[in-house]
Amino acid sequence: AKASAPVEIRRLALKGVGLSLGDLRLDSLDGEVKLTPAGAVEAIHLHNAGGTLKLELRPQGEFYRIAVAGDNWRAPFKPNMLFQWLEAQGELRSTRLDLAKINGKAYEGLVEGKASLEWAGGARLAGDLELTRVSAARLLDAFGTGLSAEGELSVRLKLTAKADNLAKLAEALHADGSFEMKRGAAKGFDLGEAVRSRGPTRGGETKFEQFSGTIEYEPSGSRLGSLRLASGLLSSGGSLDIAGN
């Protein structure tokens, strides 16, 4: 470029970028920054090494509009859910991320929801999540619950958490909602045999046409309430408490 001629930069290539959200980081991202003729940021495109996660940020006044796209992407935080595909749109500010729309597919079922995350003066999470027709066996295994069941599972959850920083949010997660399973089996106990023997039973399984109830979860333990199970001539109800350990 000659000294008398201005240089117009329209694109900056990025390699090995780290994106910080409070005290959490996404590292080893590549991408580009697109600039307007006036030199302002038009858009930022980022993707991870495997291309399983792509981010697009576009400035809009005091915040960025953010679009997320995942393809066989595993969440880097607990629970480490694997999404066959994931799409999300929202707004990113200096101390807050709002995702107004989340859609995806995971464990053979559909995922919908919204979430907000803050990291100023502590960390806070609030969200709504709905899972429809997911594989109960695959989902429970991913969550590492130690519970085993088969069937088509639908869940509605409200999520909240408060902690000193983002890294500790998983330890403070509280979830409550409802669930329904159809045409499945609960592994590890035989409810029909327990009724017949009127004594302790171990092993076996309980098949059912429908199993529903409410969920309350926190790290110290979980509770399944208002349980209703229908299996042929057998129907039952009750509640179940599960210690965090």
Side-chain angles (χ1 to χ4, degrees):
K2 297 180 180 179
S4 59
V7 176
E8 185 178 289
I9 300 175
R10 297 297 302 273
R11 177 180 175 272
L12 300 174
L14 306 174
K15 293 286 185 181
V17 173
L19 179 62
S20 296
L21 297 176
D23 55 316
L24 292 183
R25 280 178 61 88
L26 291 174
D27 287 312
S28 302
L29 300 174
D30 296 339
E32 65 176 15
V33 179
K34 291 184 177 180
L35 304 175
T36 67
V41 174
E42 179 181 324
I44 302 173
H45 296 276
L46 298 171
H47 60 83
N48 62 5
T52 60
L53 181 67
K54 297 178 181 179
L55 306 174
E56 180 188 82
L57 299 100
R58 291 183 176 273
Q60 187 77 33
E62 297 181 351
F63 62 89
Y64 281 88
R65 293 199 179 279
I66 182 170
V68 181
D71 182 11
N72 286 318
W73 175 71
R74 186 178 296 278
F77 43 80
K78 292 184 179 181
N80 303 112
M81 290 182 64
L82 177 63
F83 293 89
Q84 290 166 269
W85 62 267
L86 177 70
E87 294 179 351
Q89 294 88 35
E91 299 177 358
L92 176 62
R93 302 175 187 273
S94 60
T95 60
R96 182 183 178 95
L97 172 64
D98 290 299
L99 295 177
K101 187 176 181 180
I102 302 172
N103 292 298
K105 185 175 182 179
Y107 308 107
E108 304 173 20
L110 299 178
V111 180
E112 293 183 45
K114 60 182 180 179
S116 63
L117 191 63
E118 297 182 65
W119 51 86
R124 290 172 295 281
L125 168 70
D128 295 296
L129 185 65
E130 183 173 359
L131 308 177
T132 308
R133 300 190 301 275
V134 302
S135 166
R138 295 183 62 188
L139 184 67
L140 290 172
D141 182 63
F143 274 66
T145 62
L147 301 174
S148 180
E150 294 178 354
E152 192 178 81
L153 174 65
S154 295
V155 184
R156 287 188 176 186
L157 292 174
K158 183 173 289 291
L159 309 173
T160 57
K162 291 183 180 181
D164 294 336
N165 53 59
L166 291 175
K168 294 182 179 180
L169 275 181
E171 302 172 8
L173 181 64
H174 178 85
D176 63 83
S178 60
F179 75 93
E180 181 181 39
M181 290 179 64
K182 295 181 178 180
R183 298 177 295 278
K187 305 287 187 175
F189 65 95
D190 186 335
L191 185 58
E193 179 61 26
V195 172
R196 286 189 292 270
S197 67
R198 297 177 180 270
T201 60
R202 293 181 174 84
E205 65 179 25
T206 303
K207 294 184 178 180
F208 54 82
E209 281 80 49
Q210 187 173 28
F211 182 33
S212 63
T214 61
I215 303 173
E216 292 183 30
Y217 167 84
E218 54 189 25
S220 61
S222 306
R223 179 178 177 82
L224 303 180
S226 301
L227 295 178
R228 294 291 181 270
L229 183 145
S231 176
L233 296 177
L234 174 67
S235 62
S236 61
S239 61
L240 179 66
D241 291 288
I242 307 168
N245 59 4

